[in-house]
Amino acid sequence: MNKLNILPENPEKGTGRFPSWLHRKLPVGGEIFRTNEIVEKYKLNTVCEEAKCPNRLECYTKKTATFLALGKACTRNCGFCDIDFTKMPKAPEADEPERIALSVKELGLRHAVITMVARDDLPDFGAAHMGKIVRAIREHNDATVEVLTSDFCGDLVALDLVLRERPEIFNHNIETVRRLSPRVRHRAEYDRTLSVLRHAKESGMTVFVKSGIMLGLGETAEEVQETIRDLNSAGCDIITIGQYLQASKNKLLVKTFVTPEQFKVYEEYGLSIGVKFMYSGPFVRSSYNANLFAPGLKRAIDS
């Protein structure tokens, strides 16, 4: 079994002050406003805004955004996520797939990323609606599509409603290590996530399977290593690893700020055990720079 060669000696504690590597300059440029105008024009939600992503301005500068489907209120109340919680969300908007597709076209996206709130209130957990979004994007655009879904409560029939639209990348995040999962994630389960990812891979209906982990919640290096192995065994082609940042005072506290050097160690470990693509760093998020995998995606499609 491969072992980590380097472990953090003194990872900075989550005292409320960001370490130097988490300070960055604000991007400038008119595209920030242009991207925002297009999103507002089509009355769309983005995870960039709702989850208070630290990369939002950078991505808007590049005329990219990650769309948040099925409303902006979630039926789960995870300890890390600041998206609004409700037991009774609004009904899905029938024209949302078309609006997202037209926004993708106007932004000129070559790789569109669509995520969703958990909709445990719906019979199919929102799966059919996600499938409609993928179809609409394809009707209006020559773009690859990445979906970042909930676990659909483990319902594989619902999952197949999305997979049969053949998104180029299927993404479902495991979020944290096994020990911390019950505290970090509301209703989602570590092993259920692995089964969803494994089913997506074995279905043959997507090119790449992807998942992500947050660090800084109290996990050990050995637990991170175990999670990377579990994701690799489930068939994940792409694993993203980033620093957890507390979005509001009501969310879980940051326990440690992981060094960039340690993120690199995890990246190298994943590659050493056979993960095709590892993207690991303090600012990495599930959909951040998602187009980086486009060359590998194209090679896989062409072959």
Side-chain angles (χ1 to χ4, degrees), residues 246-266:
Q246 186 180 5
S248 72
K249 64 180 181 179
N250 298 319
K251 295 304 171 180
L252 293 169
L253 295 174
V254 177
K255 295 294 183 67
T256 56
F257 292 114
V258 179
T259 65
E261 292 78 14
Q262 186 61 26
F263 275 107
K264 186 65 176 177
V265 169
Y266 293 133

Side-chain angles (χ1 to χ4, degrees), residues 32 65 94 97 105 114-115 135 150 163 172 188 196 198 222 229 233 235 249 261 280 290:
I32 293 176
K105 184 175 183 178
I114 315 299
T115 189
R135 286 201 302 276
S150 74
L163 290 173
H172 173 54
V196 165
R198 186 174 293 109
E222 289 78 10
R229 287 198 307 272
S233 296
K249 64 180 181 179
E261 292 78 14
S280 179

Side-chain angles (χ1 to χ4, degrees), residues 37-56:
E37 285 174 358
I38 293 171
V39 169
E40 290 185 349
K41 172 182 175 180
Y42 291 102
K43 299 178 181 178
L44 298 172
N45 301 309
T46 68
V47 73
C48 322
E49 295 283 353
E50 302 306 324
K52 299 181 174 66
C53 179
N55 302 316
R56 179 181 65 86

Side-chain angles (χ1 to χ4, degrees), residues 39-162:
V39 169
E40 290 185 349
K41 172 182 175 180
Y42 291 102
K43 299 178 181 178
L44 298 172
N45 301 309
T46 68
V47 73
C48 322
E49 295 283 353
E50 302 306 324
K52 299 181 174 66
C53 179
N55 302 316
R56 179 181 65 86
L57 295 180
E58 178 188 341
C59 292
Y60 275 24
T61 299
K62 299 174 182 177
K63 288 187 70 177
T64 62
T66 297
F67 302 103
L68 181 65
L70 289 153
K72 60 179 182 178
C74 187
T75 54
R76 299 184 187 179
N77 191 21
C78 295
F80 66 92
C81 182
D82 204 37
I83 291 176
D84 291 341
F85 165 69
T86 180
K87 293 182 179 179
M88 298 182 63
K90 295 179 181 178
E93 298 173 339
D95 65 341
E96 184 179 57
E98 183 79 3
R99 291 178 2 241
I100 289 177
L102 293 175
S103 183
V104 169
K105 184 175 183 178
E106 195 159 340
L107 286 167
L109 298 182
R110 304 300 298 167
H111 183 71
V113 184
I114 315 299
T115 189
M116 61 178 288
V117 291
R119 292 298 302 260
D120 297 340
D121 60 308
L122 299 174
D124 69 349
F125 311 102
H129 190 81
M130 288 293 284
K132 290 176 183 176
I133 292 172
V134 178
R135 286 201 302 276
I137 290 172
R138 294 249 170 81
E139 288 171 4
H140 292 280
N141 302 273
D142 181 23
T144 51
V145 180
E146 177 176 336
V147 292
L148 172 53
T149 76
S150 74
D151 60 8
F152 303 118
C153 290
D155 187 329
L156 300 183
V157 174
L159 175 58
D160 282 344
L161 292 176
V162 179

Side-chain angles (χ1 to χ4, degrees), residues 10 13 20 28-29 59 62 64 97 131 179 213 250 262:
N10 294 298
K13 302 299 180 182
S20 59
V28 294
C59 292
K62 299 174 182 177
T64 62
R179 175 176 58 87
I213 316 167
N250 298 319
Q262 186 61 26

